[in-house]
Amino acid sequence: MSEENVTDRGRNLEAVRATAEMCVYCFDLIVDDLVSRTKGRKRRVDLRNPPFAKSLPPSTECPLFVTWDKRRASSRRWSPSRSTPSSSPRHEFDLRGCIGTLSPRPLQTAIGEYALTSAFRDRRFDPISDHEIPHLRVAVSLLVHYEECSHCHDWTVGVHGIIIKFMYEQQPYSATYLPEVPLEQGWTQEEAVESLVRKAGFRGEVCANLLRKISCTRYQSSKHRLTFEEYVATSGGDPLEELDEHKKSSPPNKGAGDHHVSIYHSIFDVQAYSHTCSQKTRFYGICRGAKGGRSNGPNEENGRLVKGCSRITIVMLVSEGAPL
């Protein structure tokens, strides 16, 4: 998780709550962004006046995070329609992007800003692609009720998030965990603090003397999650229909040497596509070498597992009639 600033504290805003409407707006933004880039049209979702702003007090500011999770391949329930809900426990999702700030920001504009940034510009991940959207879940976390702790274990697992700050050999360290992180990881307070010290970048011994030096702030989070299935149910239709229609109206050329190129970011997506693909296919993996170099080359073709291509980008070349 990326933090813009871990020194500022948020305001205690009793009336501020994360809502489903905020999550719907996050999905609206990334779908609109992908469609507008694919079709070359202007964006239609308003970044300045989101629908949820009407229910907020004027000029409401709050620290916040927007998180995108992706359902694991082994947990996906395939159905003829994207809009068919599938119940998935929280542990069936993996982090896909998360960006936020511990400085108070105007919610009217910040939620949209971080929805797009966490989806497309979290440097730990590739940008989210349109084929991933049906497997996504978004969470909006608003951080409230900041309090100074008497010591680094003066907080409650499952209730509080914490910010730690300390100095070691004139080097400052700081990091935070949102309230749900220690709970979902099954950590005790001690385990969470030690993990957070490592997250801050400290590599020395986590001893009693170091723990006494830690300044700790606890806070709470108002959080709302929304899956794509729930988003579709709220929207009353398939939000990706416009993108699908555009793809259908722009078929790949079938002449010699003309190939349709699709980018997939997991073997699961390649395999799922290959089962319904009647065309000749060949997969190429863009591999990262041990020293950071890149090498391109064919792996296996015609729908078989792409060996050596886990955790890399997989390019599927679809062709009719011409050798690849």
Side-chain angles (χ1 to χ4, degrees), residues 234-265:
T234 301
S235 303
D238 187 349
L240 295 177
E241 183 177 359
E242 184 179 1
L243 188 60
D244 291 341
E245 289 300 321
H246 176 73
K247 290 181 178 180
K248 291 177 182 178
S249 65
S250 304
N253 295 325
K254 299 181 180 180
D258 292 327
H259 307 135
H260 173 56
V261 180
S262 299
I263 307 297
Y264 293 85
H265 298 290

PDB file of all heavy atoms in Angstrom, residues 234-265:
ATOM      1  N   THR A 234     -26.474  -2.815  -9.366  1.00  0.00           N
ATOM      2  CA  THR A 234     -26.807  -1.424  -9.078  1.00  0.00           C
ATOM      3  C   THR A 234     -27.023  -0.633 -10.360  1.00  0.00           C
ATOM      4  O   THR A 234     -27.917   0.214 -10.446  1.00  0.00           O
ATOM      5  CB  THR A 234     -25.682  -0.758  -8.252  1.00  0.00           C
ATOM      6  OG1 THR A 234     -25.503  -1.486  -7.044  1.00  0.00           O
ATOM      7  CG2 THR A 234     -26.019   0.686  -7.923  1.00  0.00           C
ATOM      8  N   SER A 235     -26.215  -0.917 -11.375  1.00  0.00           N
ATOM      9  CA  SER A 235     -26.293  -0.175 -12.633  1.00  0.00           C
ATOM     10  C   SER A 235     -27.504  -0.567 -13.467  1.00  0.00           C
ATOM     11  O   SER A 235     -27.946   0.198 -14.323  1.00  0.00           O
ATOM     12  CB  SER A 235     -25.011  -0.404 -13.456  1.00  0.00           C
ATOM     13  OG  SER A 235     -23.868  -0.033 -12.726  1.00  0.00           O
ATOM     14  N   GLY A 236     -28.006  -1.781 -13.264  1.00  0.00           N
ATOM     15  CA  GLY A 236     -29.164  -2.228 -14.018  1.00  0.00           C
ATOM     16  C   GLY A 236     -28.848  -2.674 -15.430  1.00  0.00           C
ATOM     17  O   GLY A 236     -29.733  -2.775 -16.278  1.00  0.00           O
ATOM     18  N   GLY A 237     -27.596  -2.919 -15.737  1.00  0.00           N
ATOM     19  CA  GLY A 237     -27.185  -3.365 -17.064  1.00  0.00           C
ATOM     20  C   GLY A 237     -25.711  -3.694 -17.053  1.00  0.00           C
ATOM     21  O   GLY A 237     -25.047  -3.594 -16.029  1.00  0.00           O
ATOM     22  N   ASP A 238     -25.206  -4.083 -18.216  1.00  0.00           N
ATOM     23  CA  ASP A 238     -23.792  -4.423 -18.320  1.00  0.00           C
ATOM     24  C   ASP A 238     -22.989  -3.166 -18.632  1.00  0.00           C
ATOM     25  O   ASP A 238     -23.063  -2.628 -19.741  1.00  0.00           O
ATOM     26  CB  ASP A 238     -23.584  -5.461 -19.424  1.00  0.00           C
ATOM     27  CG  ASP A 238     -22.145  -5.982 -19.457  1.00  0.00           C
ATOM     28  OD1 ASP A 238     -21.284  -5.395 -18.782  1.00  0.00           O
ATOM     29  OD2 ASP A 238     -21.900  -6.984 -20.155  1.00  0.00           O
ATOM     30  N   PRO A 239     -22.202  -2.664 -17.671  1.00  0.00           N
ATOM     31  CA  PRO A 239     -21.440  -1.432 -17.912  1.00  0.00           C
ATOM     32  C   PRO A 239     -20.387  -1.584 -19.003  1.00  0.00           C
ATOM     33  O   PRO A 239     -19.911  -0.589 -19.535  1.00  0.00           O
ATOM     34  CB  PRO A 239     -20.776  -1.153 -16.555  1.00  0.00           C
ATOM     35  CG  PRO A 239     -21.575  -1.943 -15.561  1.00  0.00           C
ATOM     36  CD  PRO A 239     -22.017  -3.159 -16.306  1.00  0.00           C
ATOM     37  N   LEU A 240     -19.996  -2.820 -19.325  1.00  0.00           N
ATOM     38  CA  LEU A 240     -18.975  -3.046 -20.347  1.00  0.00           C
ATOM     39  C   LEU A 240     -19.568  -3.279 -21.732  1.00  0.00           C
ATOM     40  O   LEU A 240     -18.849  -3.582 -22.677  1.00  0.00           O
ATOM     41  CB  LEU A 240     -18.112  -4.251 -19.964  1.00  0.00           C
ATOM     42  CG  LEU A 240     -17.276  -4.089 -18.696  1.00  0.00           C
ATOM     43  CD1 LEU A 240     -16.533  -5.383 -18.402  1.00  0.00           C
ATOM     44  CD2 LEU A 240     -16.300  -2.931 -18.817  1.00  0.00           C
ATOM     45  N   GLU A 241     -20.881  -3.125 -21.871  1.00  0.00           N
ATOM     46  CA  GLU A 241     -21.531  -3.414 -23.150  1.00  0.00           C
ATOM     47  C   GLU A 241     -20.993  -2.523 -24.263  1.00  0.00           C
ATOM     48  O   GLU A 241     -20.759  -2.976 -25.384  1.00  0.00           O
ATOM     49  CB  GLU A 241     -23.041  -3.221 -23.023  1.00  0.00           C
ATOM     50  CG  GLU A 241     -23.806  -3.566 -24.298  1.00  0.00           C
ATOM     51  CD  GLU A 241     -25.307  -3.436 -24.112  1.00  0.00           C
ATOM     52  OE1 GLU A 241     -25.741  -3.095 -22.992  1.00  0.00           O
ATOM     53  OE2 GLU A 241     -26.034  -3.675 -25.087  1.00  0.00           O
ATOM     54  N   GLU A 242     -20.757  -1.257 -23.955  1.00  0.00           N
ATOM     55  CA  GLU A 242     -20.242  -0.336 -24.973  1.00  0.00           C
ATOM     56  C   GLU A 242     -18.868  -0.770 -25.462  1.00  0.00           C
ATOM     57  O   GLU A 242     -18.570  -0.710 -26.658  1.00  0.00           O
ATOM     58  CB  GLU A 242     -20.154   1.084 -24.398  1.00  0.00           C
ATOM     59  CG  GLU A 242     -19.717   2.127 -25.420  1.00  0.00           C
ATOM     60  CD  GLU A 242     -19.652   3.523 -24.825  1.00  0.00           C
ATOM     61  OE1 GLU A 242     -19.930   3.684 -23.617  1.00  0.00           O
ATOM     62  OE2 GLU A 242     -19.306   4.467 -25.575  1.00  0.00           O
ATOM     63  N   LEU A 243     -18.053  -1.244 -24.537  1.00  0.00           N
ATOM     64  CA  LEU A 243     -16.715  -1.709 -24.915  1.00  0.00           C
ATOM     65  C   LEU A 243     -16.803  -2.986 -25.739  1.00  0.00           C
ATOM     66  O   LEU A 243     -16.101  -3.157 -26.733  1.00  0.00           O
ATOM     67  CB  LEU A 243     -15.878  -1.943 -23.660  1.00  0.00           C
ATOM     68  CG  LEU A 243     -14.392  -2.248 -23.855  1.00  0.00           C
ATOM     69  CD1 LEU A 243     -13.699  -1.108 -24.576  1.00  0.00           C
ATOM     70  CD2 LEU A 243     -13.730  -2.503 -22.509  1.00  0.00           C
ATOM     71  N   ASP A 244     -17.693  -3.893 -25.349  1.00  0.00           N
ATOM     72  CA  ASP A 244     -17.865  -5.139 -26.090  1.00  0.00           C
ATOM     73  C   ASP A 244     -18.362  -4.878 -27.510  1.00  0.00           C
ATOM     74  O   ASP A 244     -17.910  -5.501 -28.474  1.00  0.00           O
ATOM     75  CB  ASP A 244     -18.838  -6.062 -25.361  1.00  0.00           C
ATOM     76  CG  ASP A 244     -18.253  -6.588 -24.054  1.00  0.00           C
ATOM     77  OD1 ASP A 244     -17.018  -6.540 -23.918  1.00  0.00           O
ATOM     78  OD2 ASP A 244     -19.023  -7.032 -23.196  1.00  0.00           O
ATOM     79  N   GLU A 245     -19.326  -3.942 -27.658  1.00  0.00           N
ATOM     80  CA  GLU A 245     -19.863  -3.634 -28.973  1.00  0.00           C
ATOM     81  C   GLU A 245     -18.784  -3.039 -29.869  1.00  0.00           C
ATOM     82  O   GLU A 245     -18.733  -3.319 -31.071  1.00  0.00           O
ATOM     83  CB  GLU A 245     -21.037  -2.649 -28.844  1.00  0.00           C
ATOM     84  CG  GLU A 245     -22.292  -3.267 -28.237  1.00  0.00           C
ATOM     85  CD  GLU A 245     -22.813  -4.417 -29.071  1.00  0.00           C
ATOM     86  OE1 GLU A 245     -22.766  -4.330 -30.325  1.00  0.00           O
ATOM     87  OE2 GLU A 245     -23.267  -5.416 -28.484  1.00  0.00           O
ATOM     88  N   HIS A 246     -17.903  -2.236 -29.276  1.00  0.00           N
ATOM     89  CA  HIS A 246     -16.825  -1.650 -30.063  1.00  0.00           C
ATOM     90  C   HIS A 246     -15.878  -2.733 -30.573  1.00  0.00           C
ATOM     91  O   HIS A 246     -15.425  -2.694 -31.722  1.00  0.00           O
ATOM     92  CB  HIS A 246     -16.057  -0.637 -29.218  1.00  0.00           C
ATOM     93  CG  HIS A 246     -14.867  -0.037 -29.918  1.00  0.00           C
ATOM     94  ND1 HIS A 246     -14.984   0.882 -30.938  1.00  0.00           N
ATOM     95  CD2 HIS A 246     -13.536  -0.259 -29.757  1.00  0.00           C
ATOM     96  CE1 HIS A 246     -13.778   1.218 -31.372  1.00  0.00           C
ATOM     97  NE2 HIS A 246     -12.883   0.545 -30.670  1.00  0.00           N
ATOM     98  N   LYS A 247     -15.580  -3.708 -29.712  1.00  0.00           N
ATOM     99  CA  LYS A 247     -14.686  -4.794 -30.122  1.00  0.00           C
ATOM    100  C   LYS A 247     -15.314  -5.627 -31.227  1.00  0.00           C
ATOM    101  O   LYS A 247     -14.647  -6.045 -32.168  1.00  0.00           O
ATOM    102  CB  LYS A 247     -14.348  -5.676 -28.920  1.00  0.00           C
ATOM    103  CG  LYS A 247     -13.445  -5.003 -27.908  1.00  0.00           C
ATOM    104  CD  LYS A 247     -13.133  -5.943 -26.755  1.00  0.00           C
ATOM    105  CE  LYS A 247     -12.189  -5.315 -25.760  1.00  0.00           C
ATOM    106  NZ  LYS A 247     -11.879  -6.225 -24.638  1.00  0.00           N
ATOM    107  N   LYS A 248     -16.626  -5.878 -31.126  1.00  0.00           N
ATOM    108  CA  LYS A 248     -17.303  -6.674 -32.145  1.00  0.00           C
ATOM    109  C   LYS A 248     -17.323  -5.958 -33.493  1.00  0.00           C
ATOM    110  O   LYS A 248     -17.277  -6.588 -34.546  1.00  0.00           O
ATOM    111  CB  LYS A 248     -18.734  -6.977 -31.703  1.00  0.00           C
ATOM    112  CG  LYS A 248     -18.822  -7.925 -30.526  1.00  0.00           C
ATOM    113  CD  LYS A 248     -20.268  -8.123 -30.105  1.00  0.00           C
ATOM    114  CE  LYS A 248     -20.368  -9.040 -28.888  1.00  0.00           C
ATOM    115  NZ  LYS A 248     -21.781  -9.196 -28.438  1.00  0.00           N
ATOM    116  N   SER A 249     -17.411  -4.626 -33.447  1.00  0.00           N
ATOM    117  CA  SER A 249     -17.472  -3.853 -34.694  1.00  0.00           C
ATOM    118  C   SER A 249     -16.100  -3.610 -35.295  1.00  0.00           C
ATOM    119  O   SER A 249     -15.986  -3.040 -36.374  1.00  0.00           O
ATOM    120  CB  SER A 249     -18.150  -2.508 -34.437  1.00  0.00           C
ATOM    121  OG  SER A 249     -17.372  -1.716 -33.553  1.00  0.00           O
ATOM    122  N   SER A 250     -15.029  -4.028 -34.579  1.00  0.00           N
ATOM    123  CA  SER A 250     -13.662  -3.846 -35.085  1.00  0.00           C
ATOM    124  C   SER A 250     -12.929  -5.171 -35.106  1.00  0.00           C
ATOM    125  O   SER A 250     -12.002  -5.395 -34.336  1.00  0.00           O
ATOM    126  CB  SER A 250     -12.910  -2.838 -34.195  1.00  0.00           C
ATOM    127  OG  SER A 250     -13.606  -1.622 -34.114  1.00  0.00           O
ATOM    128  N   PRO A 251     -13.334  -6.106 -35.986  1.00  0.00           N
ATOM    129  CA  PRO A 251     -12.684  -7.424 -36.026  1.00  0.00           C
ATOM    130  C   PRO A 251     -11.273  -7.316 -36.558  1.00  0.00           C
ATOM    131  O   PRO A 251     -10.938  -6.384 -37.294  1.00  0.00           O
ATOM    132  CB  PRO A 251     -13.574  -8.224 -36.991  1.00  0.00           C
ATOM    133  CG  PRO A 251     -14.162  -7.176 -37.886  1.00  0.00           C
ATOM    134  CD  PRO A 251     -14.361  -5.969 -37.020  1.00  0.00           C
ATOM    135  N   PRO A 252     -10.414  -8.268 -36.198  1.00  0.00           N
ATOM    136  CA  PRO A 252      -9.042  -8.254 -36.719  1.00  0.00           C
ATOM    137  C   PRO A 252      -9.005  -8.535 -38.209  1.00  0.00           C
ATOM    138  O   PRO A 252      -9.853  -9.234 -38.753  1.00  0.00           O
ATOM    139  CB  PRO A 252      -8.369  -9.388 -35.935  1.00  0.00           C
ATOM    140  CG  PRO A 252      -9.482 -10.298 -35.537  1.00  0.00           C
ATOM    141  CD  PRO A 252     -10.668  -9.401 -35.293  1.00  0.00           C
ATOM    142  N   ASN A 253      -8.015  -7.966 -38.879  1.00  0.00           N
ATOM    143  CA  ASN A 253      -7.825  -8.259 -40.299  1.00  0.00           C
ATOM    144  C   ASN A 253      -7.420  -9.711 -40.479  1.00  0.00           C
ATOM    145  O   ASN A 253      -6.703 -10.274 -39.674  1.00  0.00           O
ATOM    146  CB  ASN A 253      -6.741  -7.346 -40.883  1.00  0.00           C
ATOM    147  CG  ASN A 253      -7.157  -5.891 -40.869  1.00  0.00           C
ATOM    148  OD1 ASN A 253      -8.331  -5.576 -41.057  1.00  0.00           O
ATOM    149  ND2 ASN A 253      -6.189  -5.009 -40.649  1.00  0.00           N
ATOM    150  N   LYS A 254      -7.837 -10.292 -41.600  1.00  0.00           N
ATOM    151  CA  LYS A 254      -7.574 -11.703 -41.827  1.00  0.00           C
ATOM    152  C   LYS A 254      -6.582 -11.942 -42.963  1.00  0.00           C
ATOM    153  O   LYS A 254      -6.419 -13.049 -43.432  1.00  0.00           O
ATOM    154  CB  LYS A 254      -8.886 -12.426 -42.124  1.00  0.00           C
ATOM    155  CG  LYS A 254      -9.877 -12.333 -40.963  1.00  0.00           C
ATOM    156  CD  LYS A 254     -11.165 -13.070 -41.259  1.00  0.00           C
ATOM    157  CE  LYS A 254     -12.145 -12.983 -40.104  1.00  0.00           C
ATOM    158  NZ  LYS A 254     -13.398 -13.708 -40.381  1.00  0.00           N
ATOM    159  N   GLY A 255      -5.942 -10.906 -43.423  1.00  0.00           N
ATOM    160  CA  GLY A 255      -4.979 -11.068 -44.499  1.00  0.00           C
ATOM    161  C   GLY A 255      -3.685 -11.666 -43.997  1.00  0.00           C
ATOM    162  O   GLY A 255      -3.426 -11.734 -42.801  1.00  0.00           O
ATOM    163  N   ALA A 256      -2.855 -12.104 -44.960  1.00  0.00           N
ATOM    164  CA  ALA A 256      -1.583 -12.701 -44.583  1.00  0.00           C
ATOM    165  C   ALA A 256      -0.751 -11.704 -43.804  1.00  0.00           C
ATOM    166  O   ALA A 256      -0.610 -10.550 -44.194  1.00  0.00           O
ATOM    167  CB  ALA A 256      -0.822 -13.146 -45.836  1.00  0.00           C
ATOM    168  N   GLY A 257      -0.237 -12.166 -42.691  1.00  0.00           N
ATOM    169  CA  GLY A 257       0.638 -11.338 -41.885  1.00  0.00           C
ATOM    170  C   GLY A 257      -0.082 -10.411 -40.935  1.00  0.00           C
ATOM    171  O   GLY A 257       0.559  -9.663 -40.207  1.00  0.00           O
ATOM    172  N   ASP A 258      -1.438 -10.389 -40.959  1.00  0.00           N
ATOM    173  CA  ASP A 258      -2.192  -9.536 -40.053  1.00  0.00           C
ATOM    174  C   ASP A 258      -2.629 -10.340 -38.844  1.00  0.00           C
ATOM    175  O   ASP A 258      -3.275 -11.370 -38.979  1.00  0.00           O
ATOM    176  CB  ASP A 258      -3.435  -8.972 -40.768  1.00  0.00           C
ATOM    177  CG  ASP A 258      -3.051  -7.984 -41.854  1.00  0.00           C
ATOM    178  OD1 ASP A 258      -2.044  -7.282 -41.672  1.00  0.00           O
ATOM    179  OD2 ASP A 258      -3.761  -7.935 -42.869  1.00  0.00           O
ATOM    180  N   HIS A 259      -2.299  -9.850 -37.660  1.00  0.00           N
ATOM    181  CA  HIS A 259      -2.607 -10.568 -36.439  1.00  0.00           C
ATOM    182  C   HIS A 259      -3.382  -9.674 -35.484  1.00  0.00           C
ATOM    183  O   HIS A 259      -3.167  -8.466 -35.441  1.00  0.00           O
ATOM    184  CB  HIS A 259      -1.319 -11.024 -35.737  1.00  0.00           C
ATOM    185  CG  HIS A 259      -0.401 -11.800 -36.627  1.00  0.00           C
ATOM    186  ND1 HIS A 259       0.949 -11.564 -36.672  1.00  0.00           N
ATOM    187  CD2 HIS A 259      -0.650 -12.791 -37.518  1.00  0.00           C
ATOM    188  CE1 HIS A 259       1.510 -12.381 -37.544  1.00  0.00           C
ATOM    189  NE2 HIS A 259       0.564 -13.123 -38.058  1.00  0.00           N
ATOM    190  N   HIS A 260      -4.276 -10.288 -34.743  1.00  0.00           N
ATOM    191  CA  HIS A 260      -4.976  -9.586 -33.670  1.00  0.00           C
ATOM    192  C   HIS A 260      -4.238  -9.874 -32.372  1.00  0.00           C
ATOM    193  O   HIS A 260      -4.008 -11.030 -32.019  1.00  0.00           O
ATOM    194  CB  HIS A 260      -6.423 -10.087 -33.568  1.00  0.00           C
ATOM    195  CG  HIS A 260      -7.160  -9.547 -32.378  1.00  0.00           C
ATOM    196  ND1 HIS A 260      -7.294  -8.205 -32.147  1.00  0.00           N
ATOM    197  CD2 HIS A 260      -7.786 -10.183 -31.362  1.00  0.00           C
ATOM    198  CE1 HIS A 260      -7.997  -8.026 -31.045  1.00  0.00           C
ATOM    199  NE2 HIS A 260      -8.291  -9.205 -30.535  1.00  0.00           N
ATOM    200  N   VAL A 261      -3.811  -8.843 -31.661  1.00  0.00           N
ATOM    201  CA  VAL A 261      -3.005  -9.008 -30.463  1.00  0.00           C
ATOM    202  C   VAL A 261      -3.833  -8.675 -29.236  1.00  0.00           C
ATOM    203  O   VAL A 261      -4.435  -7.615 -29.160  1.00  0.00           O
ATOM    204  CB  VAL A 261      -1.751  -8.100 -30.513  1.00  0.00           C
ATOM    205  CG1 VAL A 261      -0.919  -8.274 -29.247  1.00  0.00           C
ATOM    206  CG2 VAL A 261      -0.928  -8.417 -31.744  1.00  0.00           C
ATOM    207  N   SER A 262      -3.872  -9.601 -28.272  1.00  0.00           N
ATOM    208  CA  SER A 262      -4.552  -9.368 -27.012  1.00  0.00           C
ATOM    209  C   SER A 262      -3.563  -9.546 -25.879  1.00  0.00           C
ATOM    210  O   SER A 262      -2.728 -10.449 -25.920  1.00  0.00           O
ATOM    211  CB  SER A 262      -5.725 -10.345 -26.814  1.00  0.00           C
ATOM    212  OG  SER A 262      -6.677 -10.163 -27.844  1.00  0.00           O
ATOM    213  N   ILE A 263      -3.637  -8.696 -24.876  1.00  0.00           N
ATOM    214  CA  ILE A 263      -2.726  -8.758 -23.749  1.00  0.00           C
ATOM    215  C   ILE A 263      -3.457  -9.371 -22.552  1.00  0.00           C
ATOM    216  O   ILE A 263      -4.536  -8.938 -22.176  1.00  0.00           O
ATOM    217  CB  ILE A 263      -2.223  -7.358 -23.363  1.00  0.00           C
ATOM    218  CG1 ILE A 263      -1.630  -6.644 -24.579  1.00  0.00           C
ATOM    219  CG2 ILE A 263      -1.198  -7.445 -22.236  1.00  0.00           C
ATOM    220  CD1 ILE A 263      -0.420  -7.312 -25.150  1.00  0.00           C
ATOM    221  N   TYR A 264      -2.868 -10.377 -21.955  1.00  0.00           N
ATOM    222  CA  TYR A 264      -3.422 -11.007 -20.770  1.00  0.00           C
ATOM    223  C   TYR A 264      -2.357 -11.007 -19.685  1.00  0.00           C
ATOM    224  O   TYR A 264      -1.172 -11.125 -19.961  1.00  0.00           O
ATOM    225  CB  TYR A 264      -3.870 -12.447 -21.065  1.00  0.00           C
ATOM    226  CG  TYR A 264      -5.039 -12.497 -22.000  1.00  0.00           C
ATOM    227  CD1 TYR A 264      -4.839 -12.455 -23.381  1.00  0.00           C
ATOM    228  CD2 TYR A 264      -6.332 -12.548 -21.518  1.00  0.00           C
ATOM    229  CE1 TYR A 264      -5.900 -12.465 -24.252  1.00  0.00           C
ATOM    230  CE2 TYR A 264      -7.407 -12.564 -22.390  1.00  0.00           C
ATOM    231  CZ  TYR A 264      -7.192 -12.526 -23.756  1.00  0.00           C
ATOM    232  OH  TYR A 264      -8.243 -12.536 -24.604  1.00  0.00           O
ATOM    233  N   HIS A 265      -2.789 -10.887 -18.446  1.00  0.00           N
ATOM    234  CA  HIS A 265      -1.849 -10.761 -17.340  1.00  0.00           C
ATOM    235  C   HIS A 265      -1.866 -11.955 -16.400  1.00  0.00           C
ATOM    236  O   HIS A 265      -1.311 -11.901 -15.319  1.00  0.00           O
ATOM    237  CB  HIS A 265      -2.128  -9.478 -16.561  1.00  0.00           C
ATOM    238  CG  HIS A 265      -1.938  -8.252 -17.402  1.00  0.00           C
ATOM    239  ND1 HIS A 265      -0.698  -7.829 -17.819  1.00  0.00           N
ATOM    240  CD2 HIS A 265      -2.824  -7.392 -17.949  1.00  0.00           C
ATOM    241  CE1 HIS A 265      -0.833  -6.734 -18.552  1.00  0.00           C
ATOM    242  NE2 HIS A 265      -2.110  -6.463 -18.652  1.00  0.00           N
TER     243      HIS A 265
END
